[in-house]
Amino acid sequence: MFYILTANLNDGTPVVLDDTVKREHLRTWRTEQQFRCPQCGDRVLLKVGSIRIPHFAHEVDSTCTSSFSEGESIPHLQGKQLLHSFFQRLEKPSVLEPLIPELAQRPDLLVQHEGRAIPIEFQCSRLPEEVKSNRTEGYRSLGMEPIWILQTPDKYKGRPEGMGLFSFSSFHQLFFTTSVSPEHTLLTLSPETKQFHYFSHLLPIDGNRFIAIHRKLPSNLQTFPFARPKLPDQHVLLHYYKSYKIHRTTYLERSIFLNRRGVQDPFLRHCYELKLRPTELPLWIGVPVKGNRAFVVHDCEWQLGLIYLLRRFELSPTFVPIQRLRRFVHAYAGCSKQQIEACMSYLQFLQRIVWKKKESIPNTRIEKEIVHILLERFLAMQIEN
């Protein structure tokens, strides 16, 4: 059975069930009106129980093949209701569950803003990357740029605000967006608490782990376009660097004690051949350069591999043949183009610290350059030399 939030009266008047309509009113209303499916025209029943949220449902023998996606998900229904009420409060024209005939698809909402139609998708269940990509491209083919909002993961609904370490699966990462900030941000919504959650200024550590700033915003204080996360100041960025440095140290210690492959491991082999102790790697190896999310391994691992390449072929960071970089990133899982861009960012960092083959670089200067990188990355402020 499909649960839907929109219907038409017999005279064609559209009806929307959002969280502003009281159950008592609906119980009276359903004895006075008849409702029809906006897609097939068949009669639908208005369900107003004491547990589930009010909704319309086709009769049992209905043959309607409507495309109301995920209608049976209660959080999904609650989220759509909350978003519809949110846009109504802002006096933004919005349609709940509209059918777009050209795509045979229904976004959760279609909002009109400054002469543009913006599809809003509230995602509560897992879906393949290809499906999300196809839906997005379908909207774009009609000149519409969709906004995807993920349901807040359960483990973070009660998490305090502030900077911390977060784990986001590959599915969560599909919803990283630049629509609310120049840098990637994860925007989520918790229908239960009626709060938007922002996970901004995402700094990859390794794999699915990120340092990020978590902020909550009640839906009654949200704006549209959606509020932008506050840019971190110098103090916060220094805290970022210290946290990153702690996790870097932990990674290097674990690389020795928990690694069962020994020198067969590429990272440890490079350490051995470069005569470097893993726990004593200089700070200029393992730098959070822009684009490092293209590598699923820790920054220390791929950057040491790149240093090994420079040493082996006596290359300077000022010029590394692109063919060398292509062969280098081939050993790592991920998008080669994005990985090469990350390599170029790291080579530029090496140039900035005046790379010389045997010169030791003061840690204070390296730390200043790393904070410089974070400032550039998050577009927080101009660097004062």
Side-chain angles (χ1 to χ4, degrees):
M1 179 181 291
F2 289 104
Y3 297 164
I4 55 181
L5 299 177
T6 60
N8 294 332
L9 300 179
N10 282 336
D11 62 3
T13 303
V15 175
V16 176
L17 300 180
D18 60 28
D19 59 359
T20 63
V21 185
K22 302 298 183 183
R23 291 177 188 259
E24 294 75 14
H25 175 72
L26 292 177
R27 290 190 178 100
T28 301
W29 202 22
R30 68 181 176 182
T31 65
E32 301 173 348
Q33 299 286 350
Q34 288 191 347
F35 308 96
R36 306 238 168 228
C37 173
Q39 176 159 305
C40 68
D42 287 349
R43 183 184 176 190
V44 291
L45 305 176
L46 175 54
K47 304 282 190 174
V48 190
S50 57
I51 300 177
R52 292 183 177 178
I53 64 174
H55 60 274
F56 296 107
H58 286 84
E59 295 181 335
V60 176
D61 58 351
S62 172
T63 58
C64 178
T65 56
S66 62
S67 56
F68 294 101
S69 61
E70 304 174 86
E72 63 285 336
S73 168
I74 298 304
H76 189 236
L77 290 172
Q78 292 174 327
K80 289 193 292 187
Q81 286 184 323
L82 181 62
L83 287 167
H84 183 265
S85 299
F86 160 71
F87 287 113
Q88 291 294 101
R89 175 177 64 83
L90 297 179
E91 299 183 350
K92 296 287 184 183
S94 63
V95 181
L96 192 64
E97 302 172 336
L99 176 65
I100 301 179
E102 299 90 335
L103 304 176
Q105 188 171 311
R106 291 180 183 272
D108 292 325
L109 293 100
L110 194 63
V111 181
Q112 298 295 327
H113 176 69
E114 296 183 348
R116 297 181 295 119
I118 304 175
I120 306 292
E121 292 280 12
F122 178 54
Q123 192 64 35
C124 291
S125 61
R126 297 187 66 86
L127 83 168
E129 180 178 1
E130 182 180 3
V131 173
K132 179 179 181 293
S133 178
N134 289 341
R135 288 185 189 176
T136 299
E137 291 307 313
Y139 292 133
R140 288 174 177 169
S141 70
L142 300 180
M144 298 184 290
E145 187 63 33
I147 296 177
W148 291 80
I149 304 173
L150 185 67
Q151 182 185 13
T152 305
D154 288 338
K155 61 183 177 181
Y156 295 138
K157 288 178 182 177
R159 176 106 175 222
E161 295 182 280
M163 198 197 82
L165 184 66
F166 300 88
S167 177
F168 296 121
S169 67
S170 56
F171 171 70
H172 295 144
Q173 293 177 44
L174 291 178
F175 298 88
F176 287 2
T177 178
T178 57
S179 64
V180 297
S181 175
E183 261 291 315
H184 278 112
T185 298
L186 178 62
L187 175 63
T188 73
L189 174 64
S190 171
E192 297 88 346
T193 62
K194 298 185 178 181
Q195 288 182 320
F196 288 89
H197 292 247
Y198 286 80
F199 302 89
S200 64
H201 304 95
L202 297 153
L203 182 62
I205 299 298
D206 64 88
N208 294 329
R209 300 192 304 156
F210 296 80
I211 298 174
I213 297 175
H214 175 215
R215 290 286 182 262
K216 303 176 185 179
L217 183 63
S219 60
N220 64 330
L221 299 180
Q222 180 64 280
T223 61
F224 192 80
F226 290 123
R228 297 167 70 90
K230 182 180 178 181
L231 292 168
D233 57 21
Q234 182 85 18
H235 173 75
V236 172
L237 287 173
L238 287 173
H239 193 22
Y240 254 88
Y241 169 66
K242 291 177 182 178
S243 180
Y244 182 86
K245 189 176 178 182
I246 290 172
H247 292 295
R248 175 185 181 274
T249 299
T250 301
Y251 165 77
L252 293 175
E253 291 173 348
R254 287 167 58 101
S255 70
I256 297 176
F257 298 112
L258 299 181
N259 194 303
R260 298 180 179 180
R261 298 176 63 190
V263 293
Q264 299 303 316
D265 177 79
F267 173 69
L268 294 182
R269 187 175 68 251
H270 290 150
C271 286
Y272 175 78
E273 295 189 14
L274 292 171
K275 298 180 180 179
L276 293 170
R277 289 179 178 270
T279 54
E280 297 176 3
L281 284 189
L283 288 179
W284 46 268
I285 300 176
V287 178
V289 295
K290 190 173 182 64
N292 60 341
R293 194 162 70 91
F295 290 93
V296 297
V297 297
H298 194 280
D299 292 327
C300 285
E301 187 167 333
W302 68 267
Q303 289 178 15
L304 182 65
L306 192 54
I307 296 296
Y308 178 79
L309 176 73
L310 297 179
R311 300 290 199 197
R312 180 182 177 187
F313 295 100
E314 299 184 346
L315 299 171
S316 165
T318 58
F319 177 73
V320 178
I322 191 65
Q323 295 86 352
R324 291 284 188 197
L325 290 179
R326 288 192 183 119
R327 285 197 288 270
F328 169 72
V329 301
H330 183 71
Y332 299 91
C335 175
S336 296
K337 180 180 178 181
Q338 295 175 358
Q339 289 171 341
I340 290 175
E341 291 173 354
C343 289
M344 297 299 292
S345 295
Y346 181 57
L347 293 172
Q348 290 170 7
F349 164 78
L350 293 179
Q351 294 175 49
R352 285 218 296 257
I353 62 173
V354 190
W355 163 274
K356 290 184 180 179
K357 292 183 179 179
K358 296 182 180 180
E359 180 183 27
S360 61
I361 307 162
N363 283 346
T364 54
R365 181 176 180 187
I366 297 170
E367 291 178 346
K368 180 180 177 181
E369 288 293 341
I370 292 175
V371 174
H372 184 136
I373 285 174
L374 292 175
L375 288 168
E376 290 180 331
R377 183 182 190 130
F378 299 142
L379 304 178
M381 59 188 75
Q382 296 295 322
I383 305 301
E384 294 182 3
N385 295 320

